[in-house]
Amino acid sequence: MMWELIGIYVAIISLIIGAIFTMVGAIGMLKLDNPMSRLHAPTKVGTVGIGALLLASMIHSWVTADGSFNELLIMAFLFVTAPISANFIAKVYLHTNEDKTLPKPPRDDTWSTLNVPAADRDLIED
Amino acid sequence: MKSAVRWLMPHPFLTLILAVVWTLLQNDISAGMVVFGLILGILIPWGTAAWWPDQPQDFRLGKMVSYATIVLWDILVANVQVAWIVLTRSNESLRPAWVVIPLDLREPEAITILAGTITLTPGTVSADLSSEGHSLLVHALDCPDPDAVRDEIKDRYERRLKEIFL
């Protein structure tokens, strides 16, 4: 009984932490002004926000029922896929904006996103 | 014997991961489920072997575990830092910058892990790789000194990854 109560309180605290972090992620998306800076808020704050919500779900299921491991899988896939979606958004930014502050790579000719084969150059002109 | 094992499990680590994922999906650790997971873990890499031509190179599992612990801790710290920046700093006082990181790593797997780590950790998102794969383009949210960020990433993550992938 005692443990059940403690577990439920821990789950409540994780829910609140998760909700706060998720909200900060949303605020960051709205507040920051440059597309690349906006990418920072959801990629980082989102992972801990959702992580805390999943932790709450896991604690709740362990305390009140048989317990569940599915949340571990969700967390693992989230950690693997979040950087990839961030990378795709960054690539779209590089494609659609000519960023004057973009540095040149020190050893190679250009960045791979901007490296268009000569045969395809006329496709991106229009 | 060794070649029989190689034939049965061309990617032993993938076999293990598939078995663990299957068991977690079932939400029920019983001998039957673990055995079925192992059967899947052997059949799926065998069926898709044509798309996995390279044998994975060796890596040190122990160092991988300590690396993952460091990264998990950094993710927690990074989240609090970024949340703090978002809530308290004005847009004008932020100095976003591009950081170029020259890579010593050559293995695609190691570069992928490094790029993922950079995206998940303090104030940085990895954006692109140079055309021949010798440098990594990273965007930093608030970065008065790009050289310090570059040195920290090289020292904290890349040096450890070099020890993991031999």
Side-chain angles (χ1 to χ4, degrees):
Chain A
M1 196 59 221
M2 180 69 185
W3 285 112
E4 199 177 322
L5 204 64
I6 294 174
I8 286 180
Y9 273 108
V10 174
I12 291 172
I13 292 168
S14 326
L15 270 182
I16 294 173
I17 293 175
I20 290 174
F21 271 107
T22 319
M23 192 179 75
V24 171
I27 292 175
M29 272 272 271
L30 290 173
K31 186 201 139 199
L32 296 170
D33 46 4
N34 139 357
M36 279 306 290
S37 301
R38 281 177 149 176
L39 198 51
H40 288 271
T43 50
K44 290 192 203 62
V45 182
T47 43
V48 160
I50 295 172
L53 295 178
L54 290 171
L55 190 70
S57 155
M58 217 155 101
I59 292 170
H60 185 260
S61 74
W62 276 100
V63 170
T64 58
D66 283 345
S68 148
F69 285 111
N70 285 351
E71 286 86 352
L72 285 180
L73 270 187
I74 304 178
M75 235 182 272
F77 283 119
L78 200 72
F79 273 40
V80 173
T81 51
I84 295 172
S85 46
N87 185 248
F88 268 60
I89 298 173
K91 275 179 181 294
V92 170
Y93 172 79
L94 289 178
H95 268 303
T96 51
N97 294 274
E98 259 188 56
D99 194 325
K100 295 280 183 295
T101 59
L102 193 69
K104 294 282 283 174
R107 274 176 280 181
D108 301 329
D109 297 336
T110 182
W111 298 106
S112 53
T113 304
L114 307 174
N115 188 17
V116 182
D120 294 339
R121 293 255 158 84
D122 53 329
L123 288 178
I124 53 167
E125 288 294 298
D126 347 295
Chain B
M1 179 60 201
K2 197 161 183 212
S3 67
V5 172
R6 271 267 174 246
W7 181 81
L8 199 61
M9 293 189 284
H11 304 283
F13 199 60
L14 182 64
T15 303
L16 183 69
I17 285 182
L18 281 169
V20 169
V21 166
W22 176 258
T23 317
L24 286 178
L25 267 180
Q26 294 307 311
N27 231 343
D28 166 29
I29 301 182
S30 64
M33 281 305 155
V34 174
V35 169
F36 194 69
L38 276 176
I39 292 173
L40 280 180
I42 289 170
L43 281 183
I44 293 175
W46 183 76
T48 56
W51 294 280
W52 299 72
D54 299 329
Q55 294 283 336
Q57 72 267 9
D58 286 338
F59 66 94
R60 295 179 180 160
L61 197 61
K63 294 217 166 175
M64 194 72 192
V65 171
S66 69
Y67 180 78
T69 317
I70 291 171
V71 169
L72 275 179
W73 173 249
D74 283 357
I75 289 172
L76 281 179
V77 175
N79 274 271
V80 176
Q81 276 179 356
V82 171
W84 188 250
I85 288 178
V86 164
L87 291 179
T88 60
R89 301 273 296 273
S90 70
N91 283 338
E92 292 75 35
S93 70
L94 286 180
R95 269 165 295 179
W98 294 103
V99 181
V100 178
I101 297 171
L103 290 172
D104 295 328
L105 295 168
R106 297 307 309 147
E107 299 85 2
E109 293 87 356
I111 295 177
T112 311
I113 294 179
L114 180 67
T117 309
I118 289 171
T119 298
L120 287 172
T121 47
T124 47
V125 167
S126 51
D128 207 357
L129 202 62
S130 67
S131 53
E132 308 293 328
H134 287 113
S135 7
L136 198 63
L137 179 65
V138 171
H139 187 267
L141 178 60
D142 180 35
C143 170
D145 183 5
D147 288 352
V149 171
R150 185 196 64 206
D151 291 344
E152 202 205 325
I153 290 174
K154 277 193 86 72
D155 185 58
R156 196 171 170 83
Y157 306 119
E158 196 188 16
R159 186 175 52 77
R160 288 197 169 83
L161 279 172
K162 262 194 298 196
E163 290 169 5
I164 292 171
F165 291 89
L166 296 170

